[in-house]
Amino acid sequence: MIVLTADQRGSTRGPDRVPEALALVGARSSGRPGVVLPFDRTVGDELQGVLAADDDGAALAVDLVLDLVRDGGWSVGVGLGAVDRPLPEVSRAASGPAFVRARTAVDRAKRRGRGSVPLAVVGPDEEPRATVAADAQALLHLLGAVVARRSAAGWEAVDTLVAQRGPAPQRASAAALGVSEQAVSQRLRAALWAEDAAARPLAARLLRAAGADPDDGPDDSGRDDDPDGTDGAGEGSAR
């Protein structure tokens, strides 16, 4: 499993931003598979959710981590591995190694120096998954740095491009922004969008590899199978 925990930075000096962050991750997660337990406030100024360690959940985890880095003001921790089963309905009531690792990761993220990406990934201790988790962290740090340093004009070009669904997205983006295609292309190059888009799938594959739980069956929802088919139909259902 992939447990993602975000802690608001400087919360004692500012307003509660957890509702904003929940809206952010909710919008990104809407209509996408991979959510095992939905994001919710855990304690105080934290939010947490659980994602499947499969292609869908890992890809969503990468997007959510980078959305929170872009938003700013969050220390983000990713815990990978097994969880205690059966899973409850809400993440704050869940437990297991991946949750402990997410807590460790958040604490490490808080200690990162000024100017660094406040993000950490902690996976199982055994090899090769420990090294894979470290590789995932290194790549997410790099992606996070790109996201955090992207200019407003770069984000405008990226967001407009991503929203296009037609056969010529860059041309449509130029029309939507009222600029030339060359200007859009220049903004995207400066924003390192092609490099960002190419690296996200690799980060997702690393998270999936390090987060795979040997207890997971074909269904990554976290629900215990009932061999008699007579009980537990609503326990730990995926959202």
Side-chain angles (χ1 to χ4, degrees):
M1 292 290 181
I2 302 170
V3 179
L4 198 164
T5 303
D7 182 85
Q8 184 178 338
R9 307 181 80 189
S11 58
T12 58
R13 302 186 300 273
D16 179 9
R17 297 190 60 214
V18 171
E20 294 176 33
L22 288 173
L24 175 70
V25 298
R28 172 67 82 170
S29 303
S30 179
R32 291 181 60 174
V35 178
V36 176
L37 292 179
F39 282 82
D40 197 2
R41 186 191 295 269
T42 50
V43 292
D45 51 5
E46 284 188 356
L47 61 145
Q48 184 179 77
V50 182
L51 307 170
D54 59 12
D55 289 339
D56 294 322
L60 180 56
V62 171
D63 289 343
L64 291 173
V65 165
L66 295 178
D67 282 350
L68 289 165
V69 170
R70 174 186 179 180
D71 188 60
W74 298 97
S75 297
V76 183
V78 180
L80 304 171
V83 297
D84 292 343
R85 301 166 185 276
L87 281 169
E89 292 294 324
V90 292
S91 65
R92 63 179 175 271
S95 60
F99 290 92
V100 175
R101 291 167 189 147
R103 166 56 48 206
T104 301
V106 167
D107 290 340
R108 290 181 183 175
K110 290 179 182 178
R111 294 195 296 268
R112 287 181 60 79
R114 184 181 297 275
S116 300
V117 178
L119 160 69
V121 178
V122 177
D125 293 333
E126 72 272 9
E127 294 293 351
R129 292 205 289 170
T131 295
V132 174
D135 290 345
Q137 176 179 270
L139 183 54
L140 286 172
H141 280 163
L142 181 59
L143 285 167
V146 169
V147 164
R149 290 161 174 75
R150 186 170 288 158
S151 69
W155 273 118
E156 184 180 46
V158 168
D159 290 340
T160 304
L161 182 74
V162 170
Q164 305 306 318
R165 294 293 181 266
Q170 194 158 308
R171 184 181 307 165
S173 297
L177 293 172
V179 300
S180 68
E181 286 188 60
Q182 182 181 10
V184 170
S185 179
Q186 289 173 344
R187 290 191 195 182
L188 293 173
R189 283 199 300 272
L192 298 177
W193 170 240
E195 292 79 5
D196 179 334
R200 289 191 188 214
L202 174 57
R205 288 195 293 273
L206 293 170
L207 289 180
R208 175 178 178 174
D213 182 348
D215 291 333
D216 282 341
D219 177 8
D220 281 323
S221 68
R223 181 190 301 127
D224 277 2
D225 291 332
D226 177 22
D228 297 325
T230 58
D231 195 14
E235 189 72 25
S237 58
R239 301 291 182 88

